[in-house]
Amino acid sequence: MSEQCPRCLSPRIGRNNYGKKTAGVIGAAAGVYGGYASAIAGARTGAVVGAMAGPVSGIGGAVIGGLLGGVTGVSAGIILGDVLDEVVLDNYRCLECGHSFSIEPDPEDEDSSNPPSQFPKE
């Protein structure tokens, strides 16, 4: 990493990742709840229709639904949190003086291997 602290010019920089951590936890909780609720609704519907699987499979379905929902939710939360960290929050922290700051991307650093679009802009 070639960035420097704007205050003390130290090259020792760390990342806070507060947005990624917070959105990941919120996404996991929402995903677990959503997966569990969907599994319970499916188990109830199956019981009404006449499925003979019994209560053990309904509980297992709720647990699996909660786990799958949690994984999906945490993945979506981390992606959203990463965007928040890079665009909104001061994600970088100087390890020498403790100053928090954001780094603006250089237009020169963008990938020039992609040719410009041949379609006109509207």
Side-chain angles (χ1 to χ4, degrees), residues 40-83:
I40 291 295
R44 287 183 182 152
T45 303
V48 169
V49 171
M52 301 298 287
V56 173
S57 65
I59 293 169
V63 170
I64 291 172
L67 290 174
L68 291 176
V71 169
T72 304
V74 77
S75 298
I78 287 175
I79 291 169
L80 174 65
D82 195 33
V83 171

Side-chain angles (χ1 to χ4, degrees), residues 2-82:
S2 64
E3 292 86 10
Q4 291 182 334
C5 172
R7 181 181 288 167
C8 71
L9 302 178
S10 170
R12 295 188 60 224
I13 307 272
R15 289 183 172 217
N16 293 325
N17 291 333
Y18 294 134
K20 185 185 287 188
K21 293 172 188 174
T22 303
V25 169
I26 292 170
V32 167
Y33 177 74
Y36 173 77
S38 297
I40 291 295
R44 287 183 182 152
T45 303
V48 169
V49 171
M52 301 298 287
V56 173
S57 65
I59 293 169
V63 170
I64 291 172
L67 290 174
L68 291 176
V71 169
T72 304
V74 77
S75 298
I78 287 175
I79 291 169
L80 174 65
D82 195 33

Side-chain angles (χ1 to χ4, degrees), residues 89-100:
L89 302 175
D90 289 338
N91 192 38
Y92 296 92
R93 177 184 72 255
C94 177
L95 300 176
E96 293 290 330
C97 69
H99 177 64
S100 292

